[in-house]
Amino acid sequence: MEALDMNLLVALDALLETNSVTRAAERLDTSAPAMSRTLARLRRVLGDPLLVREGRNLVPTPRALELRHEVGVLVEQGRTLLTPRAAVDPSALKRNFAVQASDMVLTELAAPLLAEVRAQAPGVAVRFLPESFEGTAALRDGRVDIEVGVIDHTDPETAVRRVLGDRSIGVAAPDHPLITERVTVAAYAAAAHLSISRTGRAHGPIDDRLALHGRTRRVLATVPNLTSALFAVRASDLICPAPALLSASTLPALGLCAFEIPLPLPEIAIGLAWHPRNTADSGHRWLRDLIHDTLTRLGAAARPPKSRRAKPNQEMVGGVESR
């Protein structure tokens, strides 16, 4: 096992560079007797005296001369390997990243993120992957570098970072009664609903909250993503839920309007997920931070002023009276 002591390489490099036990000891901040013992170990391991006496000096043997360059290269490679990496320079980064982003996040994230990537790192390409990778081993096996969205299905070893909390709002065409008139639980329940579910599930938190009011809703259809839902709502009298912050620019672009759902619904927690092997990777960290900062700015820009407080005799749910 003595031959596997990598500290011997460092000592050998110092001895062969200086041809002196004393100067090698000074270089490695140790004592001359300790360095003499290390030289004795090296002689046993390599089966060669390495440095021999010539008058008052030590001179290298032919074997030592053969080793000098090779040992120096190995020690320098080791130092480089064990030196913490400096912060990445995005402008010099040339890399492809696979990002799996949920539809509700991607509609707002894609344009500003790609603009930042092009400005900061022209050598970087981002591949946005479909939601079919969600809930699979894609992060673990390297098919996905970063996942963005509601992170609720990860492996125990997956690293997760929360970005922001969003809330659900209702979406309808501009002339819909829930836009032009007061929104109540009864009016909301009576509307024609469109549900968003990748699995085709119609029942969700909205139904659970309506049940507390003794009401049910009729879901006329389910669609797999937010984009499909918004286009369907635009051309009909249907309504659908959407994340308030992450649809702030999409709704006006499609000519749609938002209203407050008169029910206390769970927060939509948006986060990032990645495999721990990429945690310390400087390029990966740069993109994680860029996605985080982009979403944070989007959320801050879309966040409305704090709503007024409810009067004592009213139940305010999502900013709308629940009656």
Side-chain angles (χ1 to χ4, degrees):
M1 297 299 294
E2 191 175 41
L4 297 179
D5 185 352
M6 304 308 291
N7 289 316
L8 291 178
L9 280 177
V10 179
L12 179 59
D13 180 54
L15 287 164
L16 298 183
E17 281 287 321
T18 63
N19 290 336
S20 168
V21 171
T22 301
R23 290 198 297 273
E26 291 173 352
R27 177 181 291 190
L28 299 183
D29 195 23
T30 188
S31 66
M35 185 56 67
S36 292
R37 292 192 294 270
T38 300
L39 177 56
R41 289 182 63 194
L42 286 165
R43 286 167 169 166
R44 291 195 303 269
V45 169
L46 296 173
D48 188 272
L50 299 174
L51 296 174
V52 296
R53 180 75 52 189
E54 184 178 270
R56 301 180 63 180
N57 299 319
L58 294 175
V59 295
T61 65
R63 174 64 170 151
L65 292 174
E66 290 177 2
L67 291 172
R68 178 177 288 169
H69 175 71
E70 187 175 355
V71 170
V73 170
L74 287 174
V75 170
E76 184 58 33
Q77 288 176 342
R79 289 196 180 102
T80 301
L81 181 65
L82 297 177
T83 299
R85 290 186 178 181
V88 67
D89 178 8
S91 64
L93 192 60
K94 296 187 182 300
R95 190 163 168 183
N96 295 329
F97 290 99
V99 177
Q100 188 265 301
S102 61
D103 175 71
M104 69 175 177
V105 174
L106 190 57
T107 52
E108 294 285 325
L109 174 65
L113 178 64
L114 293 179
E116 286 291 336
V117 169
R118 292 185 66 185
Q120 295 187 30
V124 167
V126 179
R127 295 185 297 116
F128 289 109
L129 302 180
E131 290 183 87
S132 58
F133 285 89
E134 187 176 302
T136 68
L139 282 174
R140 187 170 63 245
D141 62 26
R143 287 176 293 160
V144 170
D145 293 306
I146 302 174
E147 182 178 341
V148 190
V150 178
I151 311 298
D152 57 3
H153 50 264
T154 60
D155 295 326
E157 71 272 16
T158 301
V160 178
R161 179 184 183 185
R162 176 186 167 89
V163 179
L164 58 84
D166 208 340
R167 63 190 181 89
S168 294
I169 55 171
V171 178
D175 58 352
H176 195 283
L178 292 181
I179 301 298
T180 59
E181 302 173 11
R182 187 167 67 91
V183 179
T184 65
V185 172
Y188 179 71
H193 288 258
L194 182 66
S195 181
I196 303 170
S197 170
R198 288 195 303 110
T199 61
R201 182 181 179 186
H203 188 94
I206 291 175
D207 303 280
D208 296 335
R209 292 297 182 178
L210 283 174
L212 296 177
H213 291 266
R215 298 185 182 276
T216 60
R217 63 172 180 157
R218 184 185 177 198
V219 177
L220 298 185
T222 63
V223 292
N225 54 62
L226 177 62
T227 303
S228 300
L230 295 181
F231 276 100
V233 167
R234 186 175 69 166
S236 68
D237 64 346
L238 294 169
I239 64 170
C240 76
L245 303 179
L246 294 177
S247 62
S249 65
T250 304
L251 298 186
L254 294 178
L256 294 168
C257 295
F259 63 90
E260 296 290 340
I261 298 176
L263 301 167
L265 297 175
E267 178 189 59
I268 304 172
I270 304 300
L272 305 176
W274 65 93
H275 194 275
R277 68 172 171 271
N278 292 316
T279 297
D281 182 276
S282 56
H284 195 278
R285 184 170 59 247
W286 166 78
L287 184 59
R288 293 198 309 265
D289 290 344
L290 188 61
I291 294 173
H292 177 278
D293 294 345
T294 302
L295 285 174
T296 300
R297 286 195 301 270
L298 288 172
R303 201 176 299 277
K306 291 184 178 179
S307 59
R308 64 185 177 89
R309 292 184 178 272
K311 296 178 180 179
N313 62 344
Q314 291 179 334
E315 180 191 6
M316 294 290 291
V317 181
V320 179
E321 296 177 23
S322 176
R323 293 181 179 173

